[in-house]
Amino acid sequence: MPHSEDDVMRLHFEVTHTAPETNARRGMMTLRHGLVETPVFMPVGTQGSIKSLSSEDVRDELRAQIILANTYHLLLRMGTERLKKNGGLHRFMRWDGNLLTDSGGFQVFSLGQGSTQGKPLLEKLDEAGAHFRSHLDGARHLLSPEKSIEVQEAIGSDIMMVLDECPPSTAAREYQLRSMDRTTRWADRCLTARTDAGGALFAIGQGGLDLELRDKHMEELRTRPFEGFAIGGLAVGESKPDFLRTLRYTAPRYPADKPRYLMGVGTPDDLVEGVHAGVDMFDCVMPTRNARNGTLFVDGGKKLIIKNQSHLDDERPLDESCPCLTCRNYSRAYLRHLYMAEEIAFYRFATLHNLTHYLELMRKMREQITAGTFAAWRLEYYARKEQSPPS
Ligand SMILES: [Zn+2]
């Protein structure tokens, strides 16, 4: 008997708690590799590894329920056939939690600004997709909606993203409109290309900083059978007030019964503001990249620069209240020593700490939503940092 769409369990989402005086909400998202409690921050494992960590670290120390991998890098380094030969990325990297993959488009557009032998890497963008050359060996590729889904299915992704065209948030209205329409056509092609073996598929709403365009695009996308929706084209260079205005308008107008994902965001403050606006999912390289640069998040989102002289003889942990492996065992003085000596172990200790800081922040916010006290907690969060909350 042919399978109907309903036979395939990809995603089940339920909002379990809301809180007064905020759009923050708590939920349970069940995917093919188990439960994800939302709002959630997803650590980024670009090439099938969260830099410096093992999959055991991610499972046992961080207890992450979902991580992100980048389609562009896995396509160029491995290709569809080798991914399949290794049984998909879960089996390859021994990760039995959930995986979300991006479409590959963002890297094609951002790395496409580079060049090979004097020619730009992104050669042409047309209705078929993005024609580009690999930043590794210069080989020609076409990233089409169909190709993106093929690679994401070969990875075995639990949440796949549609290929979208992401113009600068400050681009002219005409450009935004054309790019929105193309993004919708590409999203439809991704839906058609998905097989029964494919995971959940999220569409991406565009519209830049134009709130009317944001509404218009979501009116089109919400009629289609996507399992979730992302807010695209934000945190791409606009000012903080523009970012917050667009976020606060857009997130609560997304379908209430589907997960909402703010891509590529952000700082601890951005996560607090995103949750306040009603976002359920986040990802960002900030905690992992900053860890490797020696910038550690402590005490309600403040930054500790490990190379500073003041840590030379400091026997305290990075953060007294942090439950991570690093803070349970090692002093600031030892971590500073490892950093200054460029010891590889520093990367793992720092990455475990920063990701724990982010995941603990999300856990606290989920607790506050359940207790109905999120709005007051948000004000205290800024008061502790001696900042006023962003207006
Ligand atoms: Zn820690």
Side-chain angles (χ1 to χ4, degrees):
M1 243 175 65
H3 284 277
S4 79
E5 277 289 301
D6 300 334
D7 290 334
V8 185
M9 200 311 276
R10 294 180 166 119
L11 180 148
H12 178 79
F13 180 67
E14 192 187 341
V15 174
T16 56
H17 301 83
T18 55
E21 294 166 58
T22 174
N23 287 311
R25 58 202 212 146
R26 182 171 181 173
M28 309 230 282
M29 176 167 69
T30 309
L31 299 164
R32 298 188 304 193
H33 287 82
L35 175 70
V36 176
E37 292 172 275
T38 64
V40 64
F41 178 82
M42 304 179 286
V44 179
T46 302
Q47 322 222 30
S49 152
I50 292 169
K51 290 188 199 308
S52 80
L53 301 189
S54 68
S55 295
E56 291 75 23
D57 283 337
V58 180
R59 187 189 62 205
D60 302 335
E61 295 298 333
L62 296 177
R63 294 198 297 277
Q65 296 168 323
I66 182 167
I67 63 172
L68 190 140
N70 286 116
T71 294
Y72 174 86
H73 293 287
L74 292 167
L75 166 65
L76 294 188
R77 296 250 175 217
M78 293 187 70
T80 316
E81 285 316 306
R82 184 155 292 114
L83 279 163
K84 282 184 187 161
K85 211 179 281 177
N86 284 284
L89 189 58
H90 288 92
R91 181 167 175 272
F92 195 38
M93 69 180 286
R94 297 291 187 268
W95 167 249
D96 55 12
N98 289 294
L99 274 175
L100 180 146
T101 45
D102 61 3
S103 69
F106 184 75
Q107 266 85 20
V108 168
F109 299 130
S110 56
L111 292 171
Q113 309 307 315
S115 59
T116 175
Q117 293 161 345
K119 292 179 190 135
L121 286 169
L122 179 58
E123 296 184 319
K124 194 169 67 159
L125 187 68
D126 59 19
E127 195 61 22
H131 306 256
F132 71 100
R133 283 173 181 275
S134 163
H135 74 288
L136 298 175
D137 59 8
R140 277 211 161 90
H141 294 268
L142 167 63
L143 185 69
S144 62
E146 293 77 14
K147 182 70 186 178
S148 176
I149 294 299
E150 183 193 328
V151 182
Q152 294 185 74
E153 288 196 359
I155 289 169
S157 173
D158 299 293
I159 297 180
M160 311 189 290
M161 300 302 300
V162 301
L163 182 67
D164 69 326
E165 188 186 341
C166 182
S169 57
T170 49
R173 189 184 162 91
E174 274 309 300
Y175 181 11
Q176 296 283 2
L177 265 171
R178 275 201 310 276
S179 152
M180 268 169 47
D181 288 343
R182 175 170 282 168
T183 293
T184 306
R185 291 191 298 273
W186 282 2
D188 284 339
R189 281 165 61 187
C190 287
L191 269 177
T192 306
R194 176 171 64 168
T195 71
D196 276 0
L201 183 62
F202 281 24
I204 302 174
Q206 294 288 358
L209 303 174
D210 188 323
L211 305 182
E212 199 188 311
L213 289 187
R214 288 273 168 194
D215 278 342
K216 182 174 150 47
H217 201 201
M218 188 40 64
E219 283 317 305
E220 288 180 22
L221 292 175
R222 72 189 312 151
T223 62
R224 294 159 160 87
F226 294 105
E227 282 87 12
F229 294 94
I231 300 172
L234 264 192
V236 289
E238 72 281 356
S239 72
K240 196 57 106 180
D242 279 342
F243 165 77
L244 286 173
R245 181 178 60 89
T246 311
L247 169 67
R248 287 172 180 167
Y249 179 87
T250 306
R253 285 169 176 77
Y254 269 38
D257 59 345
K258 301 275 174 75
R260 303 161 174 164
Y261 170 24
L262 181 57
M263 291 185 296
V265 170
T267 64
D269 292 4
D270 291 338
L271 301 186
V272 173
E273 293 311 301
V275 169
H276 184 47
V279 171
D280 305 301
M281 302 163 64
F282 305 86
D283 80 281
C284 192
V285 294
M286 183 171 282
T288 40
R289 184 173 287 166
N290 276 0
R292 299 193 301 278
N293 295 336
T295 303
L296 291 322
F297 291 99
V298 293
D299 192 18
K302 289 183 203 155
K303 285 178 185 169
L304 181 151
I305 311 297
I306 197 65
K307 74 171 177 214
N308 285 353
Q309 275 282 348
S310 57
H311 307 306
L312 190 58
D313 295 311
D314 196 333
E315 292 186 6
R316 291 175 300 166
L318 293 171
D319 187 335
E320 302 279 358
S321 66
C322 176
C324 87
L325 175 140
T326 309
C327 290
R328 292 199 311 270
N329 294 290
Y330 303 103
S331 67
R332 295 181 186 186
Y334 180 62
L335 294 167
R336 180 179 186 277
H337 159 73
L338 293 181
Y339 178 82
M340 298 309 282
E342 296 178 19
E343 280 295 332
I344 291 168
F346 175 80
Y347 296 119
R348 174 169 177 257
F349 293 145
T351 301
L352 280 172
H353 170 78
N354 269 1
L355 283 176
T356 300
H357 183 88
Y358 266 58
L359 298 182
E360 279 292 300
L361 176 62
M362 301 312 292
R363 189 185 58 75
K364 280 178 208 156
M365 289 197 278
R366 290 195 299 269
E367 275 179 13
Q368 296 295 330
I369 296 168
T370 306
T373 49
F374 179 85
W377 175 88
R378 172 174 166 265
L379 298 179
E380 279 165 34
Y381 169 88
Y382 289 108
R384 272 200 311 277
K385 299 209 304 178
E386 293 166 7
Q387 282 175 21
S388 42
S391 52

